[in-house]
């Protein structure tokens, strides 16, 4: 797709059908267990379930009581237990304990396990080992896609990042392929597919295999999405490690957005209550500020507040008939807008208080120095001070990883020094964290990376390509060199700015990082779409460790007049940040196209670091 000049952005397809399909399938599965039943739900399925089928819908289908899968309920008189769970071994042991306890006490019940999005053989093996496989019935809730907004779809698989990139576990690739197959069947075939990364390539190839087996349900239909771009998270760690400064990203970093909604506490609501707010395009205030640089948000909210007050003040000169029309037609909308406005002003104030405490400006300055490759010694001293003051273990790790990736690994002296200081400040239990970060390629020593790269190349000469792929996957990103500085130069990721960068009237995607850096992931997508492939980007591909592809579907007519040709599905495997979403939304407006985002989960630097710290379930 060569970008057109600036024009109206096309409307995205309606993704409401994805929710309806998920709800209908869940209801069908619940009805397979007729009569009253207690439903046990895995904690990380609660928020997605709430977006699909609320409690009243579950009650309509004879769900009596709801329990969280973490502790056994004290008393339950139900004769039927239904478990809605992820395919995890520890959850199978939890279920087995319940079934075996009932057997011991002579209690007879029916048990049904609904796996989401699919069951794995390992789970069945555990049930068999525990002696309960014959006592339970198993089913799958093929819930692959949750629309969070009109242009964001999430698979809600936060564990994908750790499972694939750290553990080398390929089990979720089938889920990705099936998700793509579902979109393909609902919205017609994609005309052109591009991608980069080992996982992106495997997912694409498996999806094409599935399409061939099913003879392509979407074939012959007029496509609603013209282009698809798949990208692995490890193609660009730098963007995910940078502090977010667009409003939606800051709300996520500060309050943690879950499944498209956020809990605003008393510090935001100015009351003793917390409020759950859905953040999407339906929120008239949020939709206007979500992609803005934070420095512009307060000015906008102040102006909005004055406009709203002026609309209220119009009541003063009204007669009875006008007042009646005002109350019936406008007042409700104004009150709703006023409520949202006060919440977002409260959120801004709360963000500013927290960020001031963290010396946010100093941190941003250090990050920009790392991105540009200036004052590295000064930035290293800033990180050491951050660790010594014990500001935050997550933030300290993030800064160390950003230093490592932008410098293509740390010199051994700096690596040892920072590691020692970190362990002294935050505890020796983080030894495993450093092992994980090194293994995934986020925090490495320069010499170690070079040695392993040589080993990997020797291995690949001795065995076939397929076997070499499996072996190199075992030490995965450990052998990767980030090559950030060279890639940055090739793609012009650090804009040359004459004078001040105007954040209120941005001229490129760099505004999402205060004009200092264009997100690598977004720049790659822009360049490949501009060129309709990877031609001319060979050196960039080599620096990114390859696994790129570009495929056109000959069965799809390439009609430039179709709106679908200006719609791009950007698939992020391993998580997508709100900064990247804001940057591509900006690019879409500039170039007259619409980006839709499909991600394994929304991510952030904190979520990435937590995935390296937490013990695997």
């Amino acid at each position: 797709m060569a970008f057109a000049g600036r024009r109206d952005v096309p409307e995205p397809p309606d993704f409401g059908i994805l929710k309806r399909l998920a709800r209908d399938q869940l209801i069908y599965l619940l009805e397979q267990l007729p009569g009253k039943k207690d439903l046990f739900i895995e904690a990380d399925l609660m928020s997605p379930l709430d977006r699909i089928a609320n409690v009243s819908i579950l009650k309509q289908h004879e769900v009596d009581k709801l329990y969280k899968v973490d502790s056994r309920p004290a008393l339950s008189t139900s004769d039927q237990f239904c478990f809605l769970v992820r395919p995890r071994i520890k959850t199978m042991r939890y279920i087995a304990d319940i079934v075996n306890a009932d057997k011991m006490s002579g209690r007879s019940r029916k048990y049904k396990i609904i796996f989401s999005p699919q069951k794995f053989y390992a789970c069945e093996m555990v049930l068999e080992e525990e002696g309960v496989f014959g006592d339970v019935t198993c089913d799958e809730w093929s819930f692959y896609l949750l629309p969070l907004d009109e242009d964001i779809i999430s698979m809600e698989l936060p564990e994908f990042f750790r499972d694939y990139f750290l553990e080398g576990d390929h089990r979720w690739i089938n889920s990705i392929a099936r998700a793509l197959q579902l979109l393909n069947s609902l919205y017609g075939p994609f005309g052109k597919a591009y991608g980069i990364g080992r996982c992106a390539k495997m997912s694409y190839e498996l999806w094409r295999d599935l399409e061939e087996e099913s003879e392509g349900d979407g074939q012959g239909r007029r496509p609603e999405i013209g282009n698809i771009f798949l990208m692995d998270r490890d193609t660009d760690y730098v963007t995910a490690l940078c502090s977010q400064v667009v409003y939606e990203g800051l709300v996520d970093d500060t309050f943690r957005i879950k499944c498209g909604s956020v809990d605003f506490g008393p510090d935001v609501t100015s009351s003793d209550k917390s409020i759950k707010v859905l953040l999407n395009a339906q929120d008239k205030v949020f939709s206007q500020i979500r992609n803005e640089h934070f420095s512009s948000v307060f000015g906008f909210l102040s102006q909005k507040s004055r406009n709203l007050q002026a609309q209220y003040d119009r009541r003063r000169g009204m007669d009875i008939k006008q007042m009646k029309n005002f109350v019936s037609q406008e007042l409700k909308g104004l009150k709703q807008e006023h409520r949202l406005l006060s919440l977002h002003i409260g959120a801004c104030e709360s963000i500013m208080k927290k960020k001031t405490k963290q010396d946010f400006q100093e941190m941003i300055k250090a990050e920009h120095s790392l991105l540009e490759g200036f004052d590295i010694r000064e930035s290293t001293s800033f990180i050491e001070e951050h660790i010594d003051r014990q500001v935050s273990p997550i933030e300290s790790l993030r800064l160390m990883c950003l230093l490592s990736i932008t410098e293509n690994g740390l010199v051994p002296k700096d690596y040892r020094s920072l590691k020692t200081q970190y362990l002294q400040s935050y505890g020796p239990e983080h030894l495993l964290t450093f092992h994980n970060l090194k293994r995934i390629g986020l925090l490495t020593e320069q010499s170690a990376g070079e040695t392993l790269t040589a080993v990997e190349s020797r291995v690949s000469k001795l065995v076939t390509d397929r076997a070499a792929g499996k072996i190199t996957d075992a030490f995965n990103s450990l052998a990767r060199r980030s090559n950030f500085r060279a890639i940055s130069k090739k793609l012009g990721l650090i804009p040359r700015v004459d004078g001040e960068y105007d954040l209120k009237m941005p001229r490129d995607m760099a505004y999402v990082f205060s004009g200092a850096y264009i997100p690598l992931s977004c720049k790659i997508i822009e360049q490949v779409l501009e060129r309709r492939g990877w031609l001319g980007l060979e050196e960039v591909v080599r620096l990114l460790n390859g696994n790129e592809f570009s495929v056109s579907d000959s069965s799809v007519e390439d009609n430039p007049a179709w709106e679908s040709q200006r719609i791009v599905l950007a698939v992020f495997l391993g998580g997508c940040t709100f900064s990247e979403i804001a940057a591509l939304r900006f690019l879409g407006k500039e170039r007259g196209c619409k980006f839709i985002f499909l991600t394994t989960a929304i991510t952030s630097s904190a979520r990435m670091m937590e995935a390296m710290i937490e013990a695997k379930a």
Side-chain angles (χ1 to χ4, degrees):
M1 169 184 110
F3 282 124
R6 188 165 186 169
R7 50 182 169 150
D8 291 340
V9 175
E11 286 297 309
D14 176 17
F15 294 119
I17 190 171
L18 294 170
K19 276 189 187 178
R20 293 192 293 274
L21 283 172
R23 184 172 59 240
D24 291 349
Q25 192 194 9
L26 180 62
I27 288 167
Y28 172 77
L29 292 169
L30 290 173
E31 286 178 347
Q32 298 297 296
L33 201 62
K36 280 196 169 186
K37 53 200 152 275
D38 287 351
L39 182 62
F40 295 73
I41 310 169
E42 193 124 31
D44 60 352
L45 276 170
M46 284 185 159
S47 292
L49 181 64
D50 195 40
R51 295 290 302 264
I52 297 293
N54 56 30
V55 174
S56 61
I57 290 174
L58 297 176
K59 296 283 184 193
Q60 285 169 28
H61 297 279
E62 299 187 277
V63 170
D64 188 24
K65 291 187 180 69
L66 292 169
Y67 296 103
K68 196 171 168 182
V69 172
D70 60 3
S71 57
R72 195 171 170 192
L75 288 168
S76 177
T77 55
S78 177
D79 290 331
Q80 301 192 113
F81 281 178
C82 188
F83 301 90
L84 183 59
V85 297
R86 294 290 193 201
R88 293 177 182 139
I89 286 169
K90 73 166 187 178
T91 311
M92 296 306 101
R93 296 214 165 101
Y94 165 85
I95 294 169
D97 287 346
I98 289 177
V99 177
N100 283 325
D102 282 347
K103 280 185 185 178
M104 292 282 287
S105 62
R107 179 74 201 243
S108 175
R109 298 187 219 256
K110 282 186 180 173
Y111 310 95
K112 182 180 182 70
I113 304 173
I114 301 173
F115 292 96
S116 175
Q118 63 187 96
K119 68 182 172 192
F120 294 133
Y121 177 66
C123 294
E124 294 180 331
M125 286 291 291
V126 172
L127 294 172
E128 204 165 321
E129 283 168 14
E130 298 285 339
V132 298
F133 187 65
D135 301 292
V136 301
T137 55
C138 296
D139 234 316
E140 289 180 336
W141 182 29
S142 306
F143 167 48
Y144 296 112
L145 301 167
L146 176 66
L148 299 181
D149 206 342
E150 61 180 23
D151 61 351
I152 304 175
I153 310 166
S154 174
M155 293 185 70
E156 289 304 304
L157 291 175
E159 65 260 57
F160 177 92
F161 174 69
R162 180 178 174 123
D163 282 357
Y164 179 81
F165 293 105
L166 179 66
E167 308 287 352
D169 187 339
H170 293 182
R171 62 185 175 147
W172 295 114
I173 288 173
N174 185 50
S175 299
I176 294 161
R178 292 198 178 279
L180 294 173
Q181 188 182 26
L182 176 60
L183 284 174
N184 196 72
S185 67
L186 291 171
Y187 303 104
F190 308 124
K192 291 187 177 66
Y194 310 102
I196 187 160
R198 189 188 290 279
C199 184
K201 203 166 190 177
M202 284 194 288
S203 301
Y204 174 79
E205 286 168 357
L206 181 56
W207 162 47
R208 295 313 303 170
D209 290 345
L210 291 173
E211 282 296 311
E212 282 174 25
E213 285 171 24
S214 64
E215 296 176 356
D217 299 336
Q219 298 302 322
R221 291 187 45 171
R222 180 165 167 167
E224 293 182 59
I225 300 169
N227 302 269
I228 178 172
F229 198 113
L230 292 91
M231 179 178 287
D232 285 12
R233 181 72 271 169
D234 68 351
T235 300
D236 176 17
Y237 280 142
V238 171
T239 299
L241 288 168
C242 290
S243 293
Q244 303 197 79
V245 286
V246 291
Y247 181 64
E248 190 166 14
L250 274 167
V251 170
D252 185 39
D253 282 349
T254 311
F255 305 101
R256 197 62 70 97
I257 298 171
K258 289 181 186 172
C259 262
S261 65
V262 66
D263 285 315
F264 284 139
D267 56 328
V268 173
T269 61
S270 302
S271 69
D272 55 354
K273 290 180 180 174
S274 291
I275 296 177
K276 191 172 187 175
V277 180
L278 203 58
L279 298 176
N280 58 25
Q282 304 305 309
D283 180 332
K284 286 183 180 175
V285 177
F286 178 69
S287 63
Q288 291 176 283
I289 58 175
R290 67 193 307 178
N291 304 315
E292 296 296 317
H293 189 278
F294 191 65
S295 61
S296 311
V297 172
F298 251 130
F300 173 85
L301 293 175
S302 300
Q303 184 60 50
K304 188 89 177 165
S305 186
R306 286 194 289 274
N307 294 347
L308 209 57
Q309 191 58 53
Q311 285 177 283
Y312 273 122
D313 291 344
R314 283 192 301 116
R315 293 174 298 176
R316 288 177 185 158
M318 289 181 180
D319 57 31
I320 292 172
K321 189 179 178 183
Q322 288 171 323
M323 182 63 80
K324 190 178 174 184
N325 285 340
F326 176 79
V327 171
S328 63
Q329 292 171 21
E330 293 182 54
L331 189 60
K332 190 180 177 185
L334 288 175
K335 281 185 172 177
Q336 169 72 353
E337 210 166 330
H338 184 267
R339 186 184 76 88
L340 292 169
L341 189 62
S342 63
L343 279 174
H344 289 297
I345 289 171
C348 283
E349 287 171 344
S350 184
I351 288 167
M352 285 185 78
K353 279 179 198 164
K354 285 171 184 168
K355 293 301 178 190
T356 304
K357 279 182 193 170
Q358 286 184 3
D359 305 322
F360 195 55
Q361 291 305 322
E362 285 294 309
M363 191 180 292
I364 294 288
K365 187 183 165 190
E367 282 181 32
H368 290 180
S369 294
L370 293 176
L371 291 166
E372 292 165 15
F374 297 137
D375 303 325
I376 298 302
R377 186 43 52 199
E378 202 175 300
S379 299
T380 307
S381 299
F382 175 81
I383 297 169
E384 287 173 334
E385 186 192 335
H386 202 273
I387 293 167
D388 292 343
R389 285 165 53 207
Q390 297 183 321
V391 180
S392 154
I394 293 288
E395 287 290 286
S396 296
L397 266 189
R398 177 181 74 81
L399 289 167
M400 285 162 64
C401 290
L402 192 58
L403 171 63
S404 171
I405 291 207
T406 52
E407 288 299 295
N408 213 357
L410 301 178
V411 294
K413 183 168 74 77
D414 284 350
Y415 180 84
R416 286 194 296 270
S417 170
L418 285 167
K419 182 177 177 180
T420 302
Q421 288 175 72
Y422 190 92
L423 295 173
Q424 285 171 347
S425 267
Y426 301 114
E429 64 273 16
H430 286 289
L431 269 169
L432 182 59
T433 305
F434 278 87
H435 169 74
N436 289 342
L437 290 169
K438 196 167 189 175
R439 189 170 161 190
I440 204 170
L442 277 166
L443 187 55
T444 60
E445 288 179 85
Q446 285 175 1
S447 58
E450 287 158 10
T451 309
L452 206 58
T453 307
V455 171
E456 187 180 31
S457 63
R458 228 174 284 149
V459 166
S460 61
K461 283 173 190 167
L462 294 171
V463 289
T464 64
D465 284 348
R466 189 178 286 269
K470 288 180 181 174
I471 292 167
T472 52
D473 258 359
F475 34 76
N476 204 4
S477 300
L478 190 55
R480 293 176 67 93
R481 296 177 61 77
S482 72
N483 300 316
F484 174 74
R485 203 70 67 213
I487 295 167
S488 177
K489 202 170 177 182
K490 285 274 175 198
L491 292 174
L493 300 182
I494 310 298
R496 289 199 179 98
V497 182
D498 299 323
E500 283 289 307
Y501 189 99
D502 188 354
L503 293 166
K504 288 180 182 171
M505 296 288 289
R507 58 174 174 267
D508 56 32
M509 293 185 284
Y511 90 93
V512 301
F513 293 118
S514 305
Y517 163 65
I518 297 169
L520 168 58
S521 53
C522 304
K523 188 71 173 179
I524 291 168
I525 291 171
E526 177 199 35
Q527 287 293 305
V528 173
L529 292 175
E530 186 83 63
R531 298 161 189 264
R532 293 179 173 239
W534 297 95
L535 193 65
L537 296 170
E538 291 83 3
E539 182 60 16
V540 172
V541 165
R542 187 186 67 76
L543 291 167
L544 288 169
N545 302 294
N547 286 302
E548 82 290 356
F549 58 92
S550 172
V551 186
S552 294
D553 188 338
S554 56
S555 68
V556 182
E557 186 185 345
D558 189 359
N559 188 334
W562 285 357
E563 287 288 88
S564 65
Q565 295 304 306
R566 297 194 289 132
I567 294 179
V568 183
L569 178 66
V571 184
F572 286 83
L573 305 174
C576 179
T577 66
F578 284 117
S579 298
E580 289 164 311
I581 290 171
L584 287 174
R585 280 176 179 152
F586 173 84
L587 181 66
K589 279 184 189 170
E590 287 290 299
R591 305 300 180 91
C593 65
K594 180 75 179 179
F595 284 95
I596 298 160
F597 303 90
L598 168 58
T599 179
T600 48
I602 295 294
T603 194
S604 62
S605 58
R607 288 185 180 97
M608 275 173 57
M609 296 299 99
E610 285 161 12
M612 296 299 100
I613 290 171
E614 290 172 7
K616 190 167 188 261

